[in-house]
Amino acid sequence: MGRLEDKVAIVTGAASGIGKATMAKLVAEGATVVCADIDDDAGRAAVAEVGGAACFFHCDVGELAQVEATVTFAVAEFGGLDIIHNNALWSGGGPVHLISPEDWDKSMRVMLTGVFYGCRAALPQLVARGGGSIVNTASVEAFGGEMFASPYTTAKAGVVNFTRNVAIEYGRLGVRANAICPGNIETPLFEKFLGAVPRTRAQIADLAAIGRIIRPDEIANVVAFLCSDEASAITGAAIVVDGGLTSFMNLSGHRPLEGL
């Protein structure tokens, strides 16, 4: 028996990266998972690769009607909803004075309003089941600025505090809500990031205490834990999963120990 046996979950942005890894992990733990994504081909391919109790449903998280339709589908098809992982991502960037209003609005719509829509649509169903778990993807950049990334950092900071509000409002109805805050993760987005920054992959890996880039499955493991009964006392938390990136200022210039 998996930790999530007989649970029904929705994972947004599950066609690739963290979302795909989370879908695979939740299925492995016994859950039935709806892969909700705007990319139909990649979403169906991800479901086929994961196999098991996974299915695809087209969803633009920036459209409330589509998010509600995804929740309705999960409930009608599988009898209820226990988990939602709001993970979809789209972000513009650049110097603030050059960011277009359209890119700013789309960034907020997908990364912040989309999380609100996911919670808004899922909460009545989670409460109806006697409780459930919400996991929202934020970022370590919720806690600090980053050059040319103001839409991203702003939205992710909003996700952290919005998650806290959900936790305190619905905790006594059996719903737990937490945010995960990843650092640098081996995803298609990270590959695009590498093509636009001065640092190399090796230099970025060296910024973390563990000296490497984190794998998507390592984030998925944390999501699965937060969705399980093992995390029954954890809610309103912003869980940093960054390999020690934000703990390692390295102002001294000393190298981490690599042997004794």
Side-chain angles (χ1 to χ4, degrees), residues 37-245:
D37 205 287
I38 198 169
D39 189 331
D40 294 3
D41 291 341
R44 292 192 177 97
V47 163
E49 183 179 336
V50 167
C55 65
F56 177 76
F57 196 86
H58 178 92
C59 179
D60 178 349
V61 299
E63 299 293 335
L64 178 59
Q66 292 192 33
V67 178
E68 290 176 335
T70 305
V71 171
T72 297
F73 168 80
V75 172
E77 196 76 10
F78 305 114
L81 183 66
D82 304 283
I83 295 162
I84 186 165
H85 180 199
N86 294 302
N87 173 71
L89 170 65
W90 190 93
S91 183
V96 169
H97 75 287
L98 295 179
I99 297 171
S100 72
E102 293 77 16
D103 278 0
W104 179 271
D105 289 346
K106 184 175 180 180
S107 300
M108 296 303 123
R109 181 171 63 84
V110 174
M111 291 189 290
L112 183 53
T113 302
V115 172
F116 160 62
Y117 285 166
C119 292
R120 185 183 190 276
L123 277 163
Q125 299 301 330
L126 300 181
V127 171
R129 292 276 266 195
S133 179
I134 295 170
V135 180
N136 299 324
T137 301
S139 168
V140 292
E141 291 184 10
F143 308 111
E146 179 56 80
M147 293 293 293
F148 311 135
S150 59
Y152 184 83
T153 61
T154 301
K156 295 304 186 181
V159 168
V160 168
N161 231 34
F162 174 74
T163 302
R164 291 174 177 139
N165 256 78
V166 174
I168 62 177
E169 291 176 14
Y170 294 88
R172 298 190 186 190
L173 296 174
V175 177
R176 295 182 298 104
N178 293 288
I180 55 167
C181 302
N184 294 309
I185 315 297
E186 289 281 9
T187 65
L189 180 66
F190 181 69
E191 293 300 323
K192 291 182 180 179
F193 169 76
L194 282 175
V197 300
R199 282 194 169 114
T200 65
R201 176 188 295 273
Q203 289 170 330
I204 292 172
D206 198 46
L207 295 173
I210 62 174
R212 64 174 176 83
I213 309 300
I214 297 168
R215 303 186 310 271
D217 66 281
E218 293 177 298
I219 305 298
N221 289 339
V222 178
V223 177
F225 165 70
L226 290 172
C227 293
S228 75
D229 289 341
E230 294 173 4
S232 57
I234 302 176
T235 193
I239 309 294
V240 173
V241 191
D242 69 350
L245 175 67

